[in-house]
Amino acid sequence: MTSIGTAIGQVFTPVDAAKRIASEHGVLEAWLRGATVLDPTAGDGSFLEALIELALERGIARARLPVQRLYAVERDEALLASFASRMRARFSLRLPDANLRAHDLFTLQDPPQADVLMGNPPWVNYVDLPETERARLRPLFHSCGLIRDPRRLLLGGSRIDLAALVIAWSIRHLLRHGGKAVFLAPLSLYLNDGAHEGFRRHVVDGVRYALREVWDHRGAPIFPGVATRYGLVTYERDAAARWPVPWREFAEDRWITQQAAPCGGEDGPLVVHDLGANAPTAKVTVQSDPDRAAWRPRQGVNTCGATDLFVFDRCTAEGVMVVAENKVLGQVRLPRRYVLPLMTAETLRSGNRTPHRWILIPHDPVTGRPLERDAIDAMPDLALHLDAHAVRLRMRKGTMLGTHLRRGHWWALLGVGPYSYAPWRVAWEAFGRSTFRPALLDATDDGPWQGNQALHAYIPVRDRAQGERVLRALAPEVIEPQLRAHRMEGTCNWAQPGRIARILALTMPVRWTLPLARVRTAG
Ligand SMILES: C[S@@+](CC[C@H](N)C(=O)[O-])C[C@H]1O[C@@H](n2cnc3c(N)ncnc32)[C@H](O)[C@@H]1O
């Protein structure tokens, strides 16, 4: 039986896939020529078994297999025991007991040192770990330099993956100087903006290591039914980065080589494009615009799970009030000033700018902060509506919402600031799309348009002229190829504000230091 603590991230690599990886990435050769190979989170030993099988298939005699140079670390003792007994049953082989370390990787005393690391670390989002594990690992994420914003990690708002910690830690503590590492890992480490910036600096305790290659397994799945985007990443310890790195994708029955380099600084997400081509760049006009500082892209308003209490499908003005309506609440009277039009796909895709949905935002339209209690009490209809749902509103969860709740502002929404009330905005669909079609929206008679959570993003602007400048800088023919290079088509991360901000900040092509030949690798 495995306890919850040990069962973390237990998805094992099929031995056939491990064999392909070991032979195609030179691990078998290295081992046979004298290298020590170690899997730092070995599970039931697929990668070591792969090496043994490959060597036997080559006709190397069992007695001559260098099993003394195979090491495994795994916190679940039963898995290592099962590996050892399988090796005895299948091949009459016994690995030295001292090489199979049934222990937690992060507290291992005297860790073995290897020339090559090969494995598949647990892929688990930090926020999805049990609280005891989070508390234990938090200081390690910090000491390995993986965290940019400690507050977000503490409050559970960071989407950082445990795989990042395992990779960085293993390279730092278990890999010899100049050693190589080969890991199956979630590609969020390199494609997502935000949480993995610290990891992408590739330095732990002053020890540098370099990303060498990425093999995107989207077209060549190893784990059927696993929705996470993953691939094989290779590293070299104590080596300097050389951008671009080869990025391989499996299409039409073969691996195609492209090139990848970080966007907007060494810790940025990777952008991928054809060999020999320069990275696509944003127009320089963005950099020289005098209002550039205000151009920060924003996400839509977030109700933190209480959409039915704030979002309405009909709205009829009655002087300074409106009668707003949705299926859950029926009709509610609310002060008109606080009920604003909410974008829909139709708002952005068609030229029809008549609002079809509305959102109640009980915030001050000047400061963007939640209204104070006395301001709400001065509007009895609003107070009646909010108070009727106070229990539910107080129970909402969300990292940033916590601050508002602690201050007693339990009616607060997220993603609201003075920018929410800018009269104009250039808005776009940010989620699940593969095209980028920004639109310039003027305020309606009901007020300025609001984005709906992560579905929409926008850049607030003062007037039409500024809006048209932003719109020109966000021309689809400029931005869309760059978004495609981020390999996020159809995902929730397609054109989110952080990604667009990075693209706009990119003034110059990344300077390539490794001219790659125009080659295609056969599959
Ligand atoms: C995704 S599985 C992969 C196992 C093996 N490398 C493979 O590919 O088949 C990850 C393994 O990491 C182990 N693990 C998780 N956290 C660990 C830790 N802190 N120390 C050692 N092993 C750990 C889990 O028990 C699990 O067996």
Side-chain angles (χ1 to χ4, degrees), residues 388-399:
H389 304 286
V391 175
R392 199 176 138 203
L393 290 174
R394 281 198 170 99
M395 303 246 308
R396 287 177 302 160
K397 295 210 167 23
T399 312

Side-chain angles (χ1 to χ4, degrees), residues 227-417:
T228 308
R229 180 94 175 265
Y230 60 87
L232 192 91
V233 284
T234 72
Y235 300 95
E236 187 178 344
R237 203 191 124 140
D238 308 299
R242 281 197 311 254
W243 303 113
V245 296
W247 175 286
R248 327 258 188 205
E249 286 177 339
F250 197 76
E252 294 166 15
D253 278 345
R254 57 171 151 183
W255 287 100
I256 293 169
T257 301
Q258 294 181 295
Q259 57 188 9
C263 167
E266 60 162 355
D267 58 4
L270 295 187
V271 287
V272 182
H273 44 88
D274 285 348
L275 274 182
N278 272 337
T281 55
K283 280 190 173 157
V284 174
T285 52
V286 178
Q287 302 299 317
S288 54
D289 193 284
D291 293 321
R292 195 171 137 52
W295 282 30
R296 186 161 153 210
R298 307 280 176 176
Q299 208 168 51
V301 182
N302 192 335
T303 64
C304 300
T307 299
D308 54 305
L309 303 184
F310 290 98
V311 174
F312 301 92
D313 309 316
R314 289 168 68 96
C315 191
T316 313
E318 290 183 354
V320 295
M321 303 299 287
V322 292
V323 176
E325 190 175 336
N326 69 23
K327 288 200 186 78
V328 177
L329 298 176
Q331 294 191 336
V332 189
R333 263 175 75 79
L334 294 167
R336 185 173 178 181
R337 187 169 184 220
Y338 298 99
V339 180
L340 301 172
L342 189 65
M343 294 173 207
T344 61
E346 197 192 345
T347 320
L348 294 168
R349 286 181 209 172
S350 73
N352 183 351
R353 299 288 150 74
T354 310
H356 293 291
R357 298 187 92 192
W358 291 262
I359 182 163
L360 165 67
I361 304 187
H363 286 231
D364 183 315
V366 175
T367 63
R369 296 206 189 98
L371 290 170
E372 293 301 334
R373 182 71 230 192
D374 52 359
I376 291 176
D377 286 339
M379 295 177 274
D381 291 300
L382 178 61
L384 191 69
H385 172 59
L386 294 174
D387 287 341
H389 304 286
V391 175
R392 199 176 138 203
L393 290 174
R394 281 198 170 99
M395 303 246 308
R396 287 177 302 160
K397 295 210 167 23
T399 312
M400 312 312 279
L401 192 66
T403 317
H404 291 305
L405 295 182
R406 277 191 297 281
R407 290 186 184 144
H409 296 143
W410 45 264
W411 47 86
L413 301 180
L414 295 184
V416 181

Side-chain angles (χ1 to χ4, degrees), residues 20-88:
R20 273 198 305 279
I21 292 168
S23 61
E24 285 169 12
H25 296 276
V27 182
L28 175 67
E29 284 310 319
W31 175 53
L32 294 177
R33 287 190 189 158
T36 299
V37 180
L38 184 155
D39 184 343
T41 52
D44 69 351
S46 302
F47 280 96
L48 303 191
E49 183 169 358
L51 286 171
I52 291 169
E53 269 194 28
L54 285 168
L56 291 171
E57 282 166 15
R58 268 203 188 180
I60 297 174
R62 223 176 21 207
R64 299 192 52 217
L65 286 183
V67 289
Q68 73 286 358
R69 294 201 303 270
L70 293 182
Y71 283 82
V73 179
E74 165 59 50
R75 69 192 278 180
D76 187 338
E77 200 173 350
L79 292 175
L80 276 190
S82 129
F83 167 62
S85 71
R86 213 167 59 247
M87 294 307 94
R88 278 197 300 276

Side-chain angles (χ1 to χ4, degrees), residues 6 8-13 39-44 46-47 73-76 79 103-106 119-122 136 162:
T6 51
I8 287 168
Q10 287 189 350
V11 174
F12 303 130
T13 310
D39 184 343
T41 52
D44 69 351
S46 302
F47 280 96
V73 179
E74 165 59 50
R75 69 192 278 180
D76 187 338
L79 292 175
H103 205 280
D104 185 279
L105 171 68
F106 305 116
N120 170 15
R136 183 177 88 90
L162 176 56

Side-chain angles (χ1 to χ4, degrees), residues 403-456:
T403 317
H404 291 305
L405 295 182
R406 277 191 297 281
R407 290 186 184 144
H409 296 143
W410 45 264
W411 47 86
L413 301 180
L414 295 184
V416 181
Y419 48 85
S420 307
Y421 302 93
W424 293 75
R425 67 240 314 96
V426 173
W428 60 89
E429 290 180 278
F431 189 109
R433 307 288 298 162
S434 45
T435 54
F436 182 73
R437 299 282 179 275
L440 180 57
L441 304 181
D442 186 5
T444 69
D445 292 345
D446 297 340
W449 285 100
Q450 302 302 314
N452 190 355
Q453 314 207 36
L455 294 182
H456 310 126

